[in-house]
Amino acid sequence: MTPQRNPFVNEPEVTPQEDPIDDDPILGQRESLRGPRNIQQSLAAEPVEETAPAAPVAVTSATLWLVGASGGVGTSTLAGLCSENVVDESERRPTYAGRALLVCSTSASSLEAAQQLARKSASGQLPYELVGLVIVYDRPKNRLTKPTLDFARGVARMFPVAMTAPYAPSWREVGVSPQASGTRLKSVLRKIEKIARSGH
């Protein structure tokens, strides 16, 4: 028999128990981390070193633009490993009818973005010519699933030439200058320079 509830007594609220939060390398067991209440005031108190403005990009017929299919795919890193003929599009928009290499990562969203840009290029919807694709591994090769690899191969076949740049965890470290190491990366950089010089 179910006991009757007393209408004059408030029952205590029962708070559901949550699972313990996963341990995070940055935040530990905390859900979030609090900093200054007003970031503008705290940053304004820090001295800012003046940096000289970057020299304007000299655009010539040999300029090859590196265009990111999505953010954080390594266009600036690759451009920094190449000659001044290879320019990261974040420095300046590609010139009309200029030649560009699309750069994407092996993440699903970046590969899908590369696929969409290839279709736009094929239908003349881009103001520049996509002459190839560089797929940058965003994790070790043995961590990629078969569906991802199959999709990446399909996207690669949509371009006149497609190359892959290996996963380099050191490139993402603070204070590390990316180096061209490994035979595949060196080969890819030579190919990019050849495309900049000869167009193919």
Side-chain angles (χ1 to χ4, degrees), residues 86-108:
V86 181
V87 179
D88 173 15
E89 61 116 5
S90 67
E91 294 179 16
R92 185 167 152 191
R93 301 309 278 168
T95 53
Y96 182 77
R99 294 172 306 123
L101 270 179
L102 189 64
V103 182
C104 75
S105 75
T106 49
S107 71

Side-chain angles (χ1 to χ4, degrees), residues 8-52:
F8 301 105
V9 176
N10 290 333
E11 291 188 4
E13 289 187 22
V14 178
T15 306
Q17 290 288 339
E18 292 186 8
D19 292 333
I21 195 164
D22 293 334
D23 191 38
D24 180 80
I26 297 172
L27 299 178
Q29 294 286 322
R30 293 174 292 206
E31 184 179 82
S32 60
L33 184 67
R34 291 201 177 273
R37 286 188 181 270
N38 187 323
I39 191 168
Q40 287 82 11
Q41 285 180 354
S42 60
L43 289 178
E46 295 178 13
V48 178
E49 290 184 22
E50 292 292 327
T51 55

Side-chain angles (χ1 to χ4, degrees), residues 179-199:
Q179 300 293 321
S181 58
T183 53
R184 177 169 291 278
L185 179 59
K186 289 177 181 175
S187 172
V188 166
L189 295 175
R190 283 195 300 270
K191 182 72 173 173
I192 291 172
E193 294 287 0
K194 184 179 178 213
I195 293 170
R197 285 192 313 271
S198 65

Side-chain angles (χ1 to χ4, degrees), residues 102-121:
L102 189 64
V103 182
C104 75
S105 75
T106 49
S107 71
S109 59
S110 191
L111 287 166
E112 286 165 1
Q115 183 184 58
Q116 292 302 317
L117 285 167
R119 289 180 176 145
K120 284 186 176 181
S121 180

